[in-house]
Amino acid sequence: MAKTRGHHVAHITLPHRASRIPSTYRQVVALVRLRTPLALLGAAVLVLVGPPLLTAGSGAETGTQIPGLRLMVPNTPGGGYDITARTAAKNAEDAGLTHNIEVFNLPGAGGTVGLSRLVSEHGNGKLAMSMGLGVVGAVRSNHAPKTLDDTTPIARLTEEQDVVVVAKNSPYKTIDELIGAWKEDPGKLPVGGGSSPGGPDHLAPMLMAKAAGIAPKQVNYIPFDGGGELLASILGSKVAFGVSGVGEYLDQIKAGELRVLAVTGPERVDELDAPTLKESGYDVDFTNWRGIVAPPGISEAERDKLTRLIEELHDSPEWQKSMQQNGWDDAFLTGEKFGDFLDAQDKRVVSVLKELGL
């Protein structure tokens, strides 16, 4: 947490009333004359010293201070949206851009419960929501009454690959062993994902299945409301394997609790000893992304200030370090360009689901 800097007040010590009461009018006048210059001097010191101390590292210089800002996470703690939101909030505070951001979770229906809440907060310039491709897919699969068209797009932050993981005691040591068993009887090897149908953790294994010659409709996909919920099922062997974001399971992989068999993107991830699906012979190139949206109806000034906060966050050393630590790729995009990207992603989800026969 960034430290809040307060006023530095110049204290003036006055004579003790019980022992230093003036006995003559001349003494009173002298004391008043003495106190007045000191008081003026103290005020001058306060004016000169106070403002820099108040503004240094406070975000006031760049206009990024948003008192009372709340950041909603539309899934359970431990998932990708949650990690992204809490990392962003901490980095913004550590960089002195704003203070006391409240991060809270409102899970349900793949993120569409949170989306509905966000849209209902029309004109609230002190609320934003962490989101990504999963919400785009959930809107489609749940036939949600509110869509991302109803929000104010702020920024796309990151892009990351998904990982194909199993528990440390799983019999599958390689991606070929897993897919070989999966092809024999797709229904008996349930795959878990931290998103609703149409979301990234659903689309990735469906594309895997298609590349391996498995009919996507035969896949036994079990959705969870975020990577946090999914993790317990992977560790408890309730699903044969799971698919989720790199940043969500990097710690568990490094700790040896999870075994990573492959990554879904175009290149290997530096911190992971795992091949891409494509180099393993499965024609899949898939990445996920995450961003920030705000309620509809906020003023132009409120939108600009929130965008400026995210821009300053993106440029901060704190955020750059966090991206590297979490295996996130920079995919920064703001404003109307991000809005256009959201429209394109919605069309892409519809197209892929149709292509997969889902």
Side-chain angles (χ1 to χ4, degrees):
M1 294 286 288
K3 295 181 180 178
T4 304
R5 293 184 172 95
H7 292 279
H8 282 227
V9 180
H11 292 282
I12 302 172
T13 304
L14 298 178
H16 195 282
R17 290 185 179 183
S19 60
R20 301 293 300 276
I21 300 176
S23 58
T24 67
Y25 175 76
R26 182 176 296 176
Q27 287 176 299
V28 173
V29 171
L31 179 58
V32 170
R33 286 176 177 171
L34 175 65
R35 290 177 60 188
T36 301
L38 288 174
L40 292 172
L41 176 61
V45 170
L46 181 60
V47 169
L48 291 173
V49 175
L53 292 172
L54 285 169
T55 59
S58 69
E61 310 92 338
T62 54
T64 59
Q65 280 284 0
I66 306 178
L69 177 62
R70 306 179 76 213
L71 189 52
M72 184 198 305
V73 177
N75 65 6
T76 54
Y81 302 150
D82 188 68
I83 294 171
T84 302
R86 295 183 189 279
T87 300
K90 184 178 187 305
N91 289 170
E93 292 179 3
D94 288 347
L97 300 175
T98 192
H99 300 287
N100 301 321
I101 301 174
E102 180 191 349
V103 180
F104 68 101
N105 298 77
L106 185 62
T112 56
V113 170
L115 175 62
S116 179
R117 163 70 180 277
L118 185 83
V119 174
S120 73
E121 295 275 349
H122 189 279
N124 185 351
K126 296 183 183 294
L127 179 65
M129 186 178 83
S130 174
M131 49 75 69
L133 180 56
V135 175
V136 179
V139 166
R140 284 292 175 180
S141 61
N142 294 329
H143 306 289
K146 303 299 181 183
T147 74
L148 290 165
D149 283 341
D150 298 314
T151 70
T152 301
I154 300 298
R156 184 183 68 187
L157 291 172
T158 62
E159 185 177 49
E160 71 171 338
Q161 302 192 40
D162 269 358
V163 287
V164 182
V165 293
V166 295
K168 63 181 179 180
N169 57 352
S170 169
Y172 310 115
K173 303 293 193 298
T174 68
I175 189 66
D176 285 332
E177 289 179 0
L178 172 65
I179 290 183
W182 199 21
K183 289 174 71 173
E184 288 183 11
D185 195 342
K188 285 191 176 180
L189 262 71
V191 50
S195 59
S196 296
D201 299 350
H202 171 251
L203 295 178
M206 293 302 169
L207 291 169
M208 279 175 56
K210 183 182 179 185
I214 301 170
K217 287 185 177 181
Q218 290 183 295
V219 174
N220 182 10
Y221 176 76
I222 301 176
F224 294 85
D225 205 354
E229 284 191 358
L230 170 62
L231 178 61
S233 290
I234 300 173
L235 295 176
S237 300
K238 293 181 180 178
V239 293
F241 66 103
V243 177
S244 196
V246 172
E248 293 176 74
Y249 293 157
L250 197 56
D251 289 344
Q252 289 78 14
I253 293 169
K254 289 181 176 180
E257 295 298 316
L258 293 176
R259 182 185 303 135
V260 57
L261 303 184
V263 296
T264 65
E267 298 177 353
R268 290 190 175 212
V269 175
D270 289 340
E271 297 187 62
L272 298 178
D273 182 19
T276 67
L277 287 170
K278 184 161 282 191
E279 73 178 90
S280 301
Y282 307 100
D283 190 16
V284 176
D285 182 349
F286 181 86
T287 55
N288 186 17
W289 56 269
R290 296 192 178 94
I292 301 288
V293 293
I298 64 175
S299 70
E300 185 175 345
E302 289 171 328
R303 183 199 65 201
D304 290 347
K305 177 170 275 195
L306 184 54
T307 302
R308 191 158 54 245
L309 170 61
I310 300 301
E311 287 173 341
E312 293 288 333
L313 168 68
H314 168 262
D315 293 340
S316 71
E318 290 83 355
W319 178 252
Q320 295 297 320
K321 182 179 179 180
S322 291
M323 284 200 299
Q324 183 178 9
Q325 290 176 335
N326 286 288
W328 297 337
D329 294 322
D330 195 355
F332 197 60
L333 198 65
T334 60
E336 291 184 6
K337 291 183 178 179
F338 180 42
D340 293 340
F341 172 79
L342 289 177
D343 291 338
Q345 287 291 285
D346 182 54
K347 292 180 175 65
R348 180 193 178 203
V349 167
V350 172
S351 175
V352 173
L353 289 175
K354 184 177 180 180
E355 179 187 343
L356 295 173
L358 302 173

